[in-house]
Amino acid sequence: MIPDWFIALSPVVQALLATLFTWGVTALGAAFVFFFKTINRKVLDSMLGFAAGVMIAASFWSLLAPAIEMTEQAGGTPWVPATVGFLAGGAFLFGIDKIIPHLHLNLPPEKAEGIHTSWHRSILLVMAITLHNIPEGMAVGVAFGALADGDVGGSTLGAAVALALGIGLQNFPEGVSVAVPLRREGFSRFKSFWYGQLSGFVEPIAGVLGAWAVIAIKPLLPYALSFAAGAMIFVVVEELIPESQSDENTDIATIGAMLGFAVMMMLDVALG
């Protein structure tokens, strides 16, 4: 049951609170280092798989499907905004991926991507997760911004809340996957936690900007929803799935992805 006080808020404020929640779950994952210095690789791979499943399900159920339905209701060609926005979102992440220096989990420093830099490995790891969080925050913001004109095209407050909950759930392993390697490399518990939670700070910023943009330019809404979906799928295929499958725990990671998809689908159908 969504509280009445939350329902009464403007979509931008709702987006801010929702993305503050997703940031908070990232911080909760990063707090793992206050109790443990390492994490079992099977557990980590299952959590990364779970995160991938959540993001795949959210991309369709919470973003692409409403975009298609909105376009149909408006009398447009339903596949155009979905296709254009989806590919544009992937292209956007591809471009950022080639520009901003970052390092994927479990790779040596020489495998860092983006513009060459002398940044420390720890900063590159934080940047990798921060890049993930841009489309996640944007997706939540756009979902709430879509409610400015009421529940249209399958975009409902329940669906937006479900998306925020799903993104929050999959942010836990992201916080862990930044903080634990930093702790293993000799950082103090507090520094490891600080950098881990800092990777999620971009989500409230992206969320508020996403909500504001679709309210200000309403015709862009189906494109914006699809754009966020494309950006999230890029992250899943380019990093989360390969990382979860890079060790010998492929079955565990795959089961995690199936469970993540099922949980996100259940949340969206039940609340949306």
Side-chain angles (χ1 to χ4, degrees), residues 182-201:
L182 297 184
R183 177 65 178 146
R184 195 167 55 239
E185 290 183 13
F187 279 66
S188 69
R189 285 184 171 88
F190 179 77
K191 277 191 174 181
S192 299
F193 165 76
W194 176 255
Y195 284 121
Q197 66 82 31
L198 194 63
S199 67
F201 179 70

Side-chain angles (χ1 to χ4, degrees), residues 88-98 131-132 134-135 230-232 234-235:
F92 173 73
L93 256 292
F94 177 82
I96 289 183
D97 200 58
K98 298 301 180 186
L131 289 179
H132 292 182
I134 292 175
M232 289 211 300
F234 183 92
V235 168

Side-chain angles (χ1 to χ4, degrees), residues 58-60 62-89 138-139 141-149 152-155 210-211 213-231:
S59 295
F60 176 74
S62 300
L63 299 169
L64 286 172
I68 292 170
E69 190 172 339
M70 287 175 191
T71 307
E72 287 179 335
Q73 289 182 356
T77 306
W79 61 265
V80 172
T83 304
V84 173
F86 183 84
L87 293 177
M138 184 190 313
V142 169
F144 279 99
L147 305 175
D149 288 332
V152 294
S155 183
V214 298
I215 291 173
I217 314 174
K218 294 176 185 176
L220 287 181
L221 181 53
Y223 292 92
L225 289 166
S226 304
F227 182 95

